Amino acid sequence: MTKQLPRTDASAVTVADYIVERLAAEGIDHCFGVAGDYAFPICDAVDSSAKVKWIGCANELNASYAADGYARIRGAAMLATTYGVGELSAINGVMGAKAERSLVFHVVGMPSYQNQRLHKIAHHTLGDGVYGNFVELSAGAACCHAVINPENCVVEMERVIAEARRNNQPAYIAVPSDYALSPVVSADVKPMVARSNAEALQKAMATIVERIKDAKSVVAFPAFTIARLGLQKQAQQAIETLGCPFVTTLMEKCLIDEDHPQFAGMYAGAVSAPKTRQILEGADLVLDLGGVNLNDITTAAYSGQLDLSRFITVGLNDVRIGDEVIANVRLGDVLSELAKLKPSSAPYKGKPQGLAPVNGNPSDKITMAALYPRYAAFLRAGDTVVLETGSSSLGVTPTILPDGVRVEAQVLWGSIGWATPAAFGVALADSNRRTILITGEGSHQLTANDVGAMGRFGANVIVFVLNNSGYLIERALEENPNWTYNDLAPWNYAELPKALGCADWFTARVTTLGELDDAMKSARARKTGAYIEIMGGKMDMPPALAFAHGQLKAMYGDTP
Ligand SMILES: Cc1ncc(C[n+]2csc(CCOP(=O)(O)OP(=O)(O)O)c2C)c(N)n1
Ligand SMILES: [Mg+2]
């Protein structure tokens, strides 16, 4: 893709206009944020832009989560907040995007350069006349940052865009409000396109091919970064050419269809299916495509035995083989090269598991054993599921889902409340797919106010809120399930959409399987958003959570 840089010759092109135009050229056409006076020039530039639409959120944390969701689908997102109070509220969400490699351009309007120069005491500051107090904090949530002025704007934008793309992580762009309104000074730069060094790529491929040839058994282990970079098709082609089985962790849920004949199951340490575990742990060579994240969640409390010396890790920008690191090699290029190899003559053929049967009678209360197969039966190709941290994610991820379903979850960072605004961002990023939010009610309480923004901007999400009277996952992760800090204010969740302005949404509160089935049908039949509050048992948990309950010492360490 050749990117057209915005024009800088007309005197009317301000720094703010230039930044918005330049980000639009990255494929961004929505800007999430909360307005504020120091950010007015940025907000105005967005509001008057024909390319980027302002998406006002209820608060900056929500806006940052929404931007993360959007970036996962579009490859990049824009977030605009105001100095200090706004940007600091966004830090958790931006840091989460950094952890999970989602590219959010965080543009912050600062007090004017003139007031900074005079050390004026101003609102949203510590009253000390210092204007560098927050740059370091916000920059810490990004992989690169720039403080913009009219002279550096064009060059700095190219630098941060290239670096953010290289790492697929956030960039922080701070713009003093007077500079934002100044005409941008043109500079002779071209957008940088990250390419592999040809020799390094050749060397990496030669080593990979040799290792594959020598290995008695090979397994592919594609990583979540493949989805973040939009390389799903390339990864699938590479894996099909190799013909080896592939295994994923729950961070890569549905990265490739789960009934693909080469899919050998989801790896989760000791709770994996024995065959899956044997294929991955027993492989002579593990081709880690993208840098899998082997954390406590993906390995089920570090259970299982992975020998990292058998890994070849193809990172975003390098390939690691044992202690050798070959730099300047891009993941996408390695995938393309793998797909050009001679196709395997006898590809692995596993037995796809198929969907679990739907069980229970219409008058039965809703149990977790009956709920998760129902989600699988409800979902269909073209759905994007946004999954919240909590018992729901541990229930949905081990459940086989239909082909063509995409799943987004924040497994590593795990900040509750993420999924509600993230679903909003996902829905705006691709209105051709149906976005389904699956969340617990405790997480939802953090960010539920942006269900209002979903209604306002026509993001027709189908929302499932599991109401199990508190923080079930936390009850399960402790010896004592009855600590009062895991209880919640008992909201009437199903009434929220109406109160938040989603007048035409379908809403229901369901306590029996029959009611749930009917509500699912009605939600699917509607073009509007839908909101279903599912009443679950206070201690009714999916099996993966029950397993974790038995592994508390392994997860958290023994009492010293
Ligand atoms: C921002 C943040 N605060 C606190 C936590 C700790 N935490 C993890 S899960 C959870 C509760 C989730 O409860 P709910 O959404 O109701 O899901 P359930 O497990 O009950 O189905 C909490 C408080 C967190 N992960 N993130
Ligand atoms: Mg709950």
Side-chain angles (χ1 to χ4, degrees):
M1 179 177 65
T2 36
K3 284 173 198 152
Q4 204 71 42
L5 288 191
R7 292 179 57 164
T8 49
D9 48 356
S11 58
V13 179
T14 65
V15 164
D17 287 336
Y18 183 86
I19 291 171
V20 173
E21 282 274 311
R22 182 63 191 87
L23 294 181
E26 292 301 300
I28 293 168
D29 51 25
H30 296 79
C31 172
F32 299 90
V34 177
D37 56 358
Y38 299 132
F40 281 162
I42 307 289
C43 302
D44 294 355
V46 172
D47 233 1
S48 55
S49 158
K51 294 183 184 149
V52 182
K53 184 174 175 174
W54 179 264
I55 306 293
C57 294
N59 59 58
E60 290 83 356
L61 176 64
N62 290 4
S64 65
Y65 290 154
D68 177 359
Y70 187 91
R72 285 164 180 243
I73 306 300
R74 284 289 184 94
M78 180 176 179
L79 166 69
T81 64
T82 197
Y83 184 70
V85 293
E87 61 182 308
L88 296 180
S89 289
I91 279 189
N92 179 7
V94 180
M95 195 72 86
K98 183 178 184 179
E100 303 248 339
R101 292 206 177 252
S102 176
L103 200 178
V104 174
F105 291 102
H106 186 194
V107 182
V108 173
M110 295 182 89
S112 70
Y113 170 71
Q114 295 165 71
N115 283 353
Q116 293 191 37
R117 180 79 174 77
L118 299 173
H119 300 287
K120 287 214 172 151
I121 309 295
H123 64 284
H124 305 338
T125 74
L126 304 179
D128 53 4
V130 174
Y131 287 86
N133 286 320
F134 314 127
V135 169
E136 276 178 27
L137 300 177
S138 286
C143 74
C144 57
H145 75 283
V147 181
I148 299 290
N149 62 48
E151 285 81 25
N152 74 9
C153 178
V154 173
V155 172
E156 285 290 78
M157 285 302 290
E158 290 319 304
R159 180 181 65 82
V160 294
I161 289 169
E163 187 59 13
R165 286 269 177 218
R166 183 179 154 77
N167 297 299
N168 220 65
Q169 284 177 317
Y172 171 65
I173 299 165
V175 196
S177 59
D178 50 354
Y179 280 161
L181 296 171
S182 309
V184 72
V185 176
S186 65
D188 191 16
V189 290
K190 282 203 190 75
M192 274 175 263
V193 183
R195 286 201 187 88
S196 300
N197 172 290
E199 267 173 45
L201 178 61
Q202 212 176 19
K203 183 175 170 203
M205 284 309 300
T207 317
I208 292 172
V209 166
E210 199 177 282
R211 288 288 301 272
I212 291 174
K213 215 173 64 210
D214 292 346
K216 284 195 220 51
S217 52
V218 180
V219 60
F221 204 11
F224 65 102
T225 47
I226 295 223
R228 303 287 193 275
L229 294 171
L231 295 171
Q232 294 94 327
K233 281 210 179 84
Q234 288 89 328
Q236 184 167 337
Q237 277 164 4
I239 289 169
E240 286 172 357
T241 303
L242 292 169
C244 61
F246 73 92
V247 166
T248 66
T249 77
L250 57 81
M251 283 178 84
E252 293 82 21
K253 177 77 180 165
C254 295
L255 179 71
I256 297 172
D257 287 341
E258 294 188 310
D259 86 342
H260 192 287
Q262 285 167 253
F263 184 47
M266 181 168 292
Y267 179 76
V271 284
S272 322
K275 181 93 196 261
T276 305
R277 196 171 169 191
Q278 181 262 320
I279 284 177
L280 185 69
E281 294 183 359
D284 233 15
L285 176 61
V286 179
L287 271 181
D288 167 5
L289 302 174
V292 289
N293 197 280
L294 299 172
N295 56 56
D296 49 346
I297 316 268
T298 54
T299 63
Y302 312 111
S303 59
Q305 281 161 340
L306 281 171
D307 179 357
L308 296 181
S309 72
R310 296 185 196 169
F311 275 52
I312 287 182
T313 294
V314 184
L316 263 52
N317 303 299
D318 60 33
V319 176
R320 179 173 174 179
I321 304 159
D323 282 342
E324 187 184 8
V325 175
I326 303 173
N328 301 327
V329 176
R330 305 278 302 171
L331 173 60
D333 291 333
V334 173
L335 295 176
S336 305
E337 290 301 313
L338 287 172
K340 286 185 207 153
L341 299 177
K342 190 164 161 281
S344 152
S345 54
Y348 174 84
K349 234 179 159 31
K351 247 206 235 116
Q353 261 182 282
L355 303 189
V358 167
N359 56 53
N361 298 312
S363 58
D364 292 351
K365 285 244 170 346
I366 298 166
T367 61
M368 295 308 104
L371 175 64
Y372 292 105
R374 270 179 173 73
Y375 280 139
F378 170 77
L379 294 170
R380 54 165 86 141
D383 287 346
T384 301
V385 179
V386 182
L387 203 51
E388 182 60 273
T389 295
S391 75
S392 296
S393 65
L394 294 177
V396 170
T397 41
T399 306
I400 296 288
L401 299 181
D403 287 358
V405 171
R406 180 171 180 160
V407 176
E408 295 298 339
Q410 200 197 46
V411 176
L412 173 64
W413 189 247
S415 184
I416 59 165
W418 171 84
T420 299
F424 173 44
V426 163
L428 287 186
D430 186 356
S431 54
N432 291 322
R433 294 177 70 90
R434 196 78 200 249
T435 304
I436 317 287
L437 166 63
I438 297 181
T439 179
E441 93 282 39
S443 306
H444 193 51
Q445 282 204 3
L446 276 87
T447 53
N449 45 5
D450 264 330
V451 167
M454 292 181 189
R456 176 181 169 200
F457 292 105
N460 297 324
V461 177
I462 299 178
V463 181
F464 291 101
V465 177
L466 176 61
N467 182 350
N468 51 17
S469 310
Y471 297 151
L472 171 57
I473 191 167
E474 297 209 331
R475 297 191 200 283
L477 293 179
E478 293 184 281
E479 301 295 344
N480 172 14
N482 294 320
W483 294 112
T484 60
Y485 54 72
N486 288 323
D487 299 338
L488 289 165
W491 290 13
N492 295 315
Y493 296 92
E495 290 173 26
L496 286 177
K498 295 275 175 299
L500 295 171
C502 307
D504 59 349
W505 279 31
F506 168 79
T507 62
R509 167 188 266 193
V510 297
T511 52
T512 66
L513 293 175
E515 289 167 359
L516 173 61
D517 291 340
D518 289 347
M520 281 177 155
K521 265 194 215 106
S522 303
R524 188 59 91 175
R526 291 279 281 266
K527 291 269 180 292
T528 65
Y531 190 105
I532 300 172
E533 177 184 358
I534 299 172
M535 305 307 288
K538 187 172 167 183
M539 284 304 286
D540 184 8
M541 65 185 85
L545 187 53
F547 173 82
H549 185 58
Q551 296 286 310
L552 299 182
K553 289 205 168 86
M555 281 172 71
Y556 300 113
D558 211 343
T559 311

